[in-house]
Amino acid sequence: MNWYDIENERIISRFYTFKKSKHDNSSEVNYLLFYHKNERIEIAIDELDITDSQLNQYLKIFRTRFNDEKSRLQQL
């Protein structure tokens, strides 16, 4: 998998509720969502040892690096 094939990467949250529970329990699960060759891929990120903002920063850094290199290669 390379950056050429990845599009629209972002972090999303989903809230799940348990209707059969005696308490109104709900849980939030965070996912990294992106499209790879037009296939939607979601990866649960709650178990990663990283905050959502750190992951967002890494995605921005690597997307910027990829776009810079891609435009540099197109100029050659």
Side-chain angles (χ1 to χ4, degrees), residues 40-75:
R40 182 182 171 119
I41 298 174
E42 294 181 11
I43 301 171
I45 58 173
D46 284 341
E47 300 303 318
L48 297 177
D49 191 22
I50 187 172
T51 65
D52 293 348
S53 62
Q54 288 174 319
L55 184 57
N56 265 329
Q57 285 299 107
Y58 288 135
L59 290 172
K60 287 178 187 176
I61 290 168
F62 285 107
R63 176 55 69 190
T64 302
R65 286 183 188 172
F66 166 73
N67 288 338
D68 290 345
E69 185 173 329
K70 182 179 176 183
S71 64
R72 185 179 56 102
L73 289 174
Q74 288 176 345
Q75 292 176 356

Side-chain angles (χ1 to χ4, degrees), residues 29-44:
V29 179
N30 295 310
Y31 294 89
L32 171 61
L33 167 69
F34 59 91
Y35 291 86
H36 177 258
K37 296 184 178 181
N38 295 322
E39 179 184 351
R40 182 182 171 119
I41 298 174
E42 294 181 11
I43 301 171

